[in-house]
Amino acid sequence: AQSVTQLDSQVPVFEEAPVELRCNYSSSVSVYLFWYVQYPNQGLQLLLKYLSGSTLVKGINGFEAEFNKSQTSFHLRKPSVHISDTAEYFCAVSDTHLFFGTGTRLTVIP
Amino acid sequence: DSGVTQTPKHLITATGQRVTLRCSPRSGDLSVYWYQQSLDQGLQFLIQYYNGEERAKGNILERFSAQQFPDLHSELNLSSLELGDSALYFCASSVETGYGYTFGSGTRLTVV
């Protein structure tokens, strides 16, 4: 069975500082992994995805994530955050459908 | 605009009533997925349709049902509504499961 654990429910960070949002997964089969962002009162937007190949995946808005099979992790990183990055971030793993984590609320402080 | 259209955007209804939420998938996508998002349950998968056929079922209550029509749009029917059904309902579509979904902007259902 697939599952996703997002270790931090809230992450406050100062503007222009780096950020890492943590995600661990469990899966008994080959893994496809995703990060989505949800801005207030909006739907979910795909940030990036890992299907195969290079373990470092680059996405939109300067975000990247690294797939680590031995640690079953897929952490999301950004070297310098902006106020506009304030949003809810969801990690997801696919099976017959996407299983989502509980989300991490990133708050960028001016 | 993601290409996935959901209507209505907001819906307020009374307990015991029945509502229908509509979703038009992105052009070319055969799969439609319905999710419920609430503060206490997070994002819960409800049901998936692929080219008109039910493909997978999640935590969908018996009071809820869905279908996908020949033109690939989908409807989610919620009946005998309870206060706890108040939530954001998202539709998503995809070509294949493993390639990620495109989400609509959701329908916010408030049951009073």
Side-chain angles (χ1 to χ4, degrees):
Chain A
Q2 315 274 29
S3 69
V4 173
T5 302
Q6 291 186 245
L7 299 164
D8 306 296
S9 60
Q10 297 188 57
V11 173
V13 63
F14 285 103
E15 191 175 13
E16 297 184 6
V19 70
E20 178 180 82
L21 306 183
R22 297 180 294 168
C23 172
N24 286 90
Y25 68 91
S26 66
S27 173
S28 56
V29 296
S30 297
V31 173
Y32 297 154
L33 292 158
F34 306 83
W35 276 98
Y36 282 82
V37 60
Q38 184 178 28
Y39 298 104
N41 301 313
Q42 294 188 28
L44 282 79
Q45 181 182 4
L46 181 65
L47 270 179
L48 50 79
K49 59 188 175 187
Y50 172 79
L51 304 180
S52 65
S54 172
T55 57
L56 184 62
V57 180
K58 293 189 182 298
I60 62 171
N61 301 340
F63 284 94
E64 64 181 32
E66 185 157 17
F67 171 62
N68 188 318
K69 189 173 181 179
S70 63
Q71 296 186 8
T72 60
S73 68
F74 190 56
H75 301 332
L76 181 70
R77 302 185 182 99
K78 186 170 183 177
S80 175
V81 295
H82 303 288
I83 297 291
S84 59
D85 292 324
T86 293
E88 190 91 16
Y89 291 80
F90 293 93
C91 182
V93 62
S94 73
D95 187 358
T96 57
H97 57 274
L98 288 185
F99 289 84
F100 285 89
T102 51
T104 297
R105 176 163 296 278
L106 173 64
T107 302
V108 180
I109 304 163
Chain B
D1 181 11
S2 68
V4 177
T5 303
Q6 287 189 251
T7 57
K9 290 192 182 304
H10 302 276
L11 201 48
I12 301 175
T13 190
T15 54
Q17 294 298 305
R18 182 179 191 274
V19 297
T20 298
L21 312 184
R22 182 187 169 102
C23 169
S24 293
R26 196 178 56 164
S27 178
D29 289 352
L30 298 179
S31 277
V32 169
Y33 310 80
W34 287 97
Y35 282 81
Q36 179 193 60
Q37 186 180 35
S38 60
L39 283 175
D40 55 344
Q41 298 285 334
L43 271 162
Q44 294 288 315
F45 169 70
L46 296 178
I47 198 164
Q48 176 201 358
Y49 277 83
Y50 178 83
N51 202 22
E53 300 289 327
E54 183 184 302
R55 175 67 68 90
K57 219 168 186 177
N59 300 320
I60 188 165
L61 301 172
E62 286 191 11
R63 299 183 285 109
F64 296 0
S65 65
Q67 54 185 326
Q68 186 179 29
F69 295 86
D71 66 353
L72 300 179
H73 91 271
S74 178
E75 293 181 355
L76 179 67
N77 301 296
L78 315 175
S79 61
S80 302
L81 284 167
E82 302 174 358
L83 295 178
D85 297 326
S86 296
L88 260 173
Y89 291 84
F90 284 108
C91 168
S93 71
S94 72
V95 174
E96 297 283 350
T97 302
Y99 293 88
Y101 302 170
T102 302
F103 278 81
S105 56
T107 294
R108 182 172 293 281
L109 174 66
T110 302
V111 182
V112 297

